[in-house]
Amino acid sequence: MALDQSFVGRAYPPTAPYEVGREKIREFAEAVGDTNPAYTDPEAAKALGHSDVIAPPTFVFAITFKAAGQVIEDPQLGLDYSRVVHGDQKFTYKRPVRAGDRLSVTSTIEAVKSMAGNDILDIRGDVHDESGEHVVTAWTKLVARAAEEA
């Protein structure tokens, strides 16, 4: 069953703030194999003009994907998550994510398409810090594969 096109433009409430910690940044950088010292050494980050360590660019995926759960779990949308694969991801930054940031995400459905029986859902996550400053926007494309014929 195709997803309802009327959901395009629907925005969900901002998430509770997520506090970005140095250790989480270090663990993430280590997990993705990025040895940039700005991710682990506060002095190296300060030498580059940052107030504290910064996060690798894809760090916010964990925050924005969790926020997209509001969309995924919306019973009115009717998305069958058991058939979903991650189709694409992109980010546009206003500034780097820093240790100590308290970030909230507002998820909005940007597009709903059907192609060859598959539903394609584009979700935009706008990330703001505690003062309301826009930090980054993340786009997530989810593909709900067509049900297989019996």
Side-chain angles (χ1 to χ4, degrees), residues 89-111:
Q89 189 72 49
K90 65 182 178 178
F91 305 94
T92 301
Y93 275 85
K94 298 290 183 184
R95 68 160 174 84
V97 169
R98 299 181 287 247
D101 277 341
R102 290 178 48 81
L103 304 176
S104 295
V105 183
T106 302
S107 296
T108 304
I109 297 175
E110 278 207 333

Side-chain angles (χ1 to χ4, degrees), residues 7-74:
F7 277 76
V8 173
R10 181 176 286 197
Y12 293 78
T15 60
Y18 172 90
E19 187 163 345
V20 178
R22 281 184 186 169
E23 186 63 13
K24 289 290 186 186
I25 292 172
R26 185 197 62 75
E27 289 171 348
F28 187 87
E30 187 176 276
V32 298
D34 196 327
T35 60
N36 184 333
Y39 304 151
T40 57
D41 179 0
E43 294 309 313
K46 287 177 184 172
L48 294 171
H50 304 290
S51 58
D52 205 330
V53 295
I54 59 172
T58 56
F59 177 85
V60 295
F61 175 76
I63 304 165
T64 58
F65 192 73
K66 183 176 181 183
Q70 294 176 327
V71 177
I72 292 164
E73 296 166 6
D74 184 339

Side-chain angles (χ1 to χ4, degrees), residues 1 9 12-13 16 29 34 36 39 50 59 84 99-100 122 127 131 135 139 146:
M1 176 194 240
Y12 293 78
D34 196 327
N36 184 333
Y39 304 151
H50 304 290
F59 177 85
V84 169
D122 293 322
V127 181
S131 71
V135 177
W139 288 269

